[in-house]
Every structure is written in structure tokens, then in C-alpha cells.
Amino acid sequence: MVLFLLVILAAVVLGIIGAVAHGLFYLLLIGCLLVVADLVYGVVRLRRPRVRQR
């Protein structure tokens, strides 16, 4: 869960910098790609059955 939140935070920061700074549009694109990759990671992790440890 921590990894998921850190990647989302990094994507938001990159997206804001890419949207505000002139000429850094590629950072906005990288932020969008990070969000998509993180959502795919989250879906895969949720669909995988959890093994109970004793």
C-alpha cells in the first residue's frame, strides 16, 4: 500500500510541475503514465488471491 501511495504522489508532483513549468510537458505525460501503471498494479494486486499466513 505504501508503494501505491508513493507512486501516486510522485505522479501528482510530476504532473503539477509538467503543467505549470513552460517546456516541461513531458513531465505531465510521465505523471499520467505513472498513474496508469499504478492503477494496473493495484488491480492486479487486488485480484490476486491472498495467502493466509499462520
Side-chain angles (χ1 to χ4, degrees):
M1 184 68 175
V2 173
L3 178 64
F4 182 81
L5 292 175
L6 284 175
V7 173
I8 289 290
L9 181 66
V12 168
V13 169
L14 287 175
I16 290 172
I17 292 171
V20 173
H22 181 69
L24 296 178
F25 182 69
Y26 66 92
L27 287 179
L28 180 61
L29 295 177
I30 292 171
C32 292
L33 288 174
L34 274 175
V35 168
V36 170
D38 201 31
L39 290 175
V40 169
Y41 171 76
V43 168
V44 168
R45 187 169 170 136
L46 284 175
R47 290 190 181 241
R48 186 178 55 181
R50 294 185 182 187
V51 178
R52 298 181 85 186
Q53 293 181 356
R54 296 181 184 227

